[in-house]
Structure formats: C-alpha cells, structure tokens
Amino acid sequence: MQALSKISLRSLQISLIASALFTLSGCGGGSSGSSSPSRDRGDNDVVWQQGVFQPAETFANRCEIPRIGTNPFSGRPYADVKGSTLDENNWLRSWSNDLYLWYDEIVDRNPAGFDTEAYFETLKTTESTMSGTPKDQFHFLVPTDEWVAQSQSGIWVGYGLQWALLSPTPPREAVVAYTEQENAPGLPPRGARILSIDGYSIDVNTQAGVDALNAGLFPSAEGEIHQFRFRYLDGSEHEFTLTAGEVVSDPVQNIKVVDGAMGRKVGYMLFNDHIATAEKELVDGVSYLRDQGIDELVLDLRYNGGGYLAIASQLAYMIAGDMATAGRVFETLKFNDKHPETNPVTGEPLLGTPFYNETLGFSAEGGLLLPSLDLSRVFVLTGPNTCSASEAIINGLRGIDVEVVQIGDTTCGKPYGFYPADNCGTTYFSIQFQGINSKGFGDYTDGFTPAPSGDWGAEVNGCPVGDDWNHALGDVNEARFATALNYINSGSCNLYGVMSARAVEPASEQSTDFTLPKAAWRENRIYVR
C-alpha cells in the first residue's frame, strides 16, 4: 500500500509531510570518514582532518551564491562574500561541533563530498530514546526569507484549513481539524472527511492518484485550484472548489466563559501556534478572561506544535500571576558540556529564562505589563501534536507548583530547542539545548502523559481521552473539554456520561497516532537572540 508522499527538501510544508508520513531514503554523496588528512579545494584552502575543527567564523558568510544588496528584514547590507559549497559545509561542520547538544555523537565526515543540504543531514545523532524513538527528530533547514516572513507574520500558502491525517495508507482518512481563521465562512467545518480530490478517491492506490492527493492537500503556489468532496458529520456530502492563497494564521481562537458547578466560571482558550502574532492575541484574550472573573482555565494546546519560547513564558506568567512567578525561573537552558556556564549564542550567563511579565514587541507594543489570572491550577488539553514550547508551559508551571491537570493524550516529547542560524540564505535549526524547569526537570523525551495517579516526572495528574472529531473545538460536549468540565465539577476524570453524543474511548485504548502536518517553525522550541 502506498502512503501519501511528496518530496521536496526546499519546501516547508512538504518536507514536514515527508518526515511524518514516509521514510526518506538517504541523500547521496559523501565519505564514510577517514582519519587521514584530505585537502579541501576551497577559498580557505583548508586541510580536512577528522576531529580537527577551525572556528565556524572562519567560514561564515562565504557563499557559493552570495546575496547582494540590503537585507529587507534588518535594513543592513548582506555580509555574504564569494565562497564555495565547501565553505558553507565547513561552516556547518564547525558550527555543529561547537553548539550541537550531542556533538560527540556526530560522525565527522569529510565535507568535500556533499552538497550542503545533504551534509547538514549528516550532522546529527543517530541514537534513540528509551522508547526506541530517534533521539533527534527536529533537525531541519528553511530558506531564510521564508523563515523570517512566515515566523513573523504567520502567512503561508494554503486554503485556511488545517488537515489531520488520521490514516495515511488505505483505507485513508483525512479530516478538517480546524480553520486557521475563527469562524471562517465558506469552508468545511471541523470533522469533515475528505472523500476525493480532483476526482481521485482518497483511497486511490496509483502513483498518479497519490500525487494528485498530495497536490491538492498541500498546494505549493498561490492560485492553485483543486476540487474537494467532503462528508460532513451528519452524513451529507459537499463539493468545494478551493483556491490556494496567502493564509494568515489566527493562533488564538474560541475564547469563552462557561458556567461550572457552584457558580464557578470556567474560561476556555484554543491556542494553536507560538508565532509572533500570538503575543497580542494572548494579551487580549487573557484580559477578557480576567475581566470576566474566571475561576478556572481550560487551555487547549492539543494542536500547538510550539514556536517562540518567550511567548510560552509570557502565557505561563499570565496564568500564574506575579506572586507565583516573582523571582522564579521559567526555563533554564542546558547546552553541551563545552558551555556549562555561558550561553554560547548570546554570551550571557546561564541564569535561566524568567517568567516574562511584560510585552516583548513580537506583535504588541513592547514594555507593557501583562494581564494575569493568578490561578493556582490550569487544565491543559493535549495530544500527540502538543510539542516543544507548549510542553514548556506545562513543565514551567509545574516547576513553580502551579497544578497542571492534563486532559487528552501523551504529548510529542520535545524538551529541546535551538537558535535559528542564517548562513548564505539558509536558516539552520540544529538542537542546541535542553529546557529544564525551576525544579531541575526536563526529561520528557517521550512526552507528558495524563494519568489519574500521576503527578511526578513525565506523568501528569489527569485523564486520558481520545480526540473527538464529532464536535467543534470549544463545544462543551467535545470529549476533552467535557472531561475537563466534569473534573472541575466532580474532582475526578469520570470519562463516561459527560458527553451528549457518543462516548469517546480513553486515549490509552484507541489509536491516536495521527499526523497534523505543519511547517517546522510551528513545531519547535525557538529562541531569538
């Protein structure tokens, strides 16, 4: 059987799909590594010797194709000068040896035998976690102009729909998880199942059909038009002509207040991306919930893959408030053993990231005091696509004894992060640090798991509940939200009898290994200098 597949190392969306849905064969070229010296023919006339490294600055900005003119994002001239692919590879080799968290697990290969993208793929560990998962699943690169534009604005090419691929092989199942804009008119709702794309059944098993499905699901250019047929939850079928265009993500949605037992007010907030535009939306959303006088918060992070860690710190502060966070550390970065006391990227002492209590200028005016809810407990809805900066919220709050009740499924397990590094028009993301909370805990490489008896390590007090595709997010009858409300009212999970529609199996009893394809910058823990 064929899985949905499409390969393009230079395409953000498709490279994400490739890594999630099928195994890429290795990129060609290269040497297995020899300890004998080999003369590199590059502008710096470097002699390669295994295990011997020059400073990365020796090769920085020496480019096969240097950029010219002014960088539109910084307003300064590009620093690029004429160099070679070998110079770019040598920069990657030295930079990785200095900053990669597991630098001593990289096999040192002669960079002369590779193109740059293929060489970058070799500069990571091949070890596995205790569960057998690859230790480093987070190694990627992005063209710099795409990275800056998309991470700052949240703009990407698509239809304004976020797919969930519940089964990539026949019998395939692909559904709408949510719309990128709240209450988007003229688009199919959450839970709508794809029946066909451009006349090809979702279960087609020919290469031409698989290519057509991929082309429709993941358009590569504005103006592409594709025909979709969906089945809604009520069984009705609907045809849509979808045209790809610039989509602006709305990362904070469905903010509401519902009544709980004994007059308690429960706030709900769906938070999908730690991107720059989220800062102002979170400030506005928390301000509204504060003014409504909520007693409990249900924070829906089930599809939040991560992004800027500073925004995670801001949100954690807004939940816990000033008294709980004053003088406390949200997260401390642990770099490799070459840098035990100093952040090698910023040069600053490793004192830890605070709980930021003011706006930082991502999208709100900088320097303004953040609103806060002053809560001692928060309910977090999670799933396998809750990653990185989202997991840092859970870990950071637990580090200062704010009770976290986890409802849903095990998170993806990304306690690691990086500083984006641009060289010659490509921005590289290579794991540089592990995040540790105020209690010194950061070992959740296989994710946080909700457990009725859990309240230590990677087990978190809470309720395992599968995703409910039959209700809208924020609907009080949606399984995870309903379970959180039931817990607030009764003090226990009591998974059954809380939904008005069908009961949903606990996550531990059903398959939840589905793919929510997003660009890599939306699925990681990212620091900026």
Side-chain angles (χ1 to χ4, degrees):
M1 297 294 185
Q2 291 173 300
L4 299 180
S5 59
K6 194 170 184 180
I7 304 174
S8 172
L9 292 175
R10 300 293 288 186
S11 169
L12 270 177
Q13 294 167 339
I14 301 310
S15 65
L16 243 287
I17 304 313
S19 64
L21 298 182
F22 69 105
T23 303
L24 287 170
S25 59
C27 297
S31 165
S32 60
S34 168
S35 60
S36 60
S38 172
R39 179 165 295 278
D40 292 337
R41 294 191 298 275
D43 291 343
N44 289 305
D45 198 30
V46 173
V47 175
W48 175 78
Q49 186 172 359
Q50 191 174 52
V52 178
F53 300 86
Q54 294 194 34
E57 291 76 13
T58 306
F59 311 101
N61 304 309
R62 301 184 65 85
C63 311
E64 175 70 27
I65 304 175
R67 292 165 292 181
I68 59 175
T70 301
N71 184 329
F73 305 108
S74 69
R76 296 189 295 270
Y78 288 112
D80 299 1
V81 297
K82 179 60 180 173
S84 65
T85 296
L86 183 56
D87 288 322
E88 296 184 36
N89 290 356
N90 272 317
W91 176 82
L92 280 171
R93 175 175 177 263
S94 295
W95 174 72
S96 299
N97 181 66
D98 182 34
L99 297 180
Y100 186 61
L101 185 60
W102 305 292
Y103 70 95
D104 53 352
E105 296 177 16
I106 296 174
V107 176
D108 186 22
R109 297 174 173 88
N110 187 342
F114 295 84
D115 66 51
T116 301
E117 289 185 1
Y119 188 60
F120 178 66
E121 282 300 306
T122 73
L123 298 174
K124 64 179 182 180
T125 181
T126 58
E127 299 295 318
S128 300
T129 68
M130 292 289 291
S131 69
T133 303
K135 193 173 179 179
D136 186 353
Q137 306 176 72
F138 323 120
H139 199 72
F140 68 100
L141 56 83
V142 180
T144 297
D145 56 350
E146 292 182 20
W147 153 246
V148 175
Q150 295 182 28
S151 65
Q152 293 297 314
S153 67
I155 294 176
W156 50 282
V157 174
Y159 311 115
L161 296 167
Q162 177 62 60
W163 310 119
L165 305 182
L166 306 185
S167 175
T169 57
R172 297 189 183 95
E173 191 168 15
V175 305
V176 175
Y178 62 88
T179 57
E180 292 290 347
Q181 291 289 323
E182 188 171 358
N183 301 320
L187 291 176
R190 169 177 166 82
R193 266 115 171 127
I194 297 175
L195 298 179
S196 66
I197 302 175
D198 291 335
Y200 287 94
S201 165
I202 192 67
D203 287 330
V204 67
N205 200 26
T206 65
Q207 189 59 56
V210 169
D211 289 344
L213 295 182
N214 277 305
L217 286 169
F218 313 115
S220 58
E222 292 182 61
E224 284 190 30
I225 299 175
H226 297 277
Q227 302 292 327
F228 284 75
R229 188 171 184 81
F230 294 92
R231 177 181 292 123
Y232 283 12
L233 294 175
D234 63 5
S236 62
E237 296 187 4
H238 302 263
E239 297 276 356
F240 279 84
T241 299
L242 299 179
T243 302
E246 282 194 347
V247 176
V248 180
S249 298
D250 187 8
V252 182
Q253 301 183 22
N254 294 357
I255 300 169
K256 63 177 61 178
V257 177
V258 301
D259 293 329
M262 301 178 65
R264 297 179 68 77
K265 292 184 175 181
V266 180
Y268 171 89
M269 176 189 292
L270 174 65
F271 180 30
N272 289 329
D273 287 297
H274 287 76
I275 57 178
T277 53
E279 183 184 44
K280 185 177 186 308
E281 292 191 19
L282 287 170
V283 170
D284 292 344
V286 171
S287 295
Y288 170 77
L289 295 174
R290 177 201 60 193
D291 294 344
Q292 294 298 307
I294 66 167
D295 303 294
E296 304 275 5
L297 174 66
V298 178
L299 179 64
D300 197 337
L301 298 176
R302 74 183 76 187
Y303 303 137
N304 193 319
Y308 288 126
L309 193 76
I311 291 177
S313 171
Q314 289 177 309
L315 180 54
Y317 167 82
M318 288 190 276
I319 292 169
D322 198 56
M323 289 188 62
T325 61
R328 306 296 296 275
V329 172
F330 174 68
E331 181 170 278
T332 299
L333 305 188
K334 180 181 179 181
F335 290 84
N336 66 39
D337 58 13
K338 296 181 180 183
H339 308 286
E341 299 179 352
T342 302
N343 183 318
V345 178
T346 67
E348 298 173 352
L350 290 175
L351 301 178
T353 298
F355 286 82
Y356 291 117
N357 65 355
E358 63 180 21
T359 54
L360 300 175
F362 283 106
S363 55
E365 179 185 348
L368 302 177
L369 186 65
L370 293 171
S372 62
L373 300 172
D374 301 320
L375 298 174
S376 60
R377 179 173 75 172
V378 62
F379 289 79
V380 180
L381 309 186
T382 67
N385 296 282
T386 305
C387 302
S388 200
S390 292
E391 292 171 304
I393 294 174
I394 297 171
N395 202 43
L397 289 174
R398 294 177 84 205
I400 59 169
D401 294 317
V402 171
E403 181 184 1
V404 176
V405 181
Q406 182 182 357
I407 309 291
D409 194 19
T410 301
T411 63
C412 76
K414 289 186 182 179
Y416 310 113
F418 24 55
Y419 287 85
D422 166 65
N423 191 60
C424 299
T426 299
T427 294
Y428 297 94
F429 298 81
S430 184
I431 290 177
Q432 296 161 339
F433 58 81
Q434 180 177 7
I436 297 170
N437 70 12
S438 188
K439 292 184 176 182
F441 181 75
D443 187 15
Y444 51 92
T445 55
D446 289 315
F448 286 112
T449 298
S453 60
D455 200 21
W456 56 275
E459 285 198 347
V460 181
N461 179 45
C463 317
V465 182
D467 214 342
D468 178 2
W469 301 103
N470 287 355
H471 291 91
L473 299 173
D475 186 326
V476 295
N477 294 309
E478 189 277 319
R480 288 175 176 168
F481 189 18
T483 302
L485 291 172
N486 182 74
Y487 193 107
I488 291 168
N489 293 338
S490 69
S492 67
C493 291
N494 188 21
L495 291 175
Y496 302 104
V498 298
M499 283 73 76
S500 64
R502 64 178 177 85
V504 176
E505 298 288 341
S508 59
E509 297 179 14
Q510 67 170 190
S511 174
T512 56
D513 186 20
F514 65 88
T515 302
L516 196 82
K518 288 188 175 183
W521 52 268
R522 299 168 69 191
E523 293 194 319
N524 286 284
R525 181 194 246 99
I526 297 170
Y527 264 85
V528 291
R529 296 171 188 263

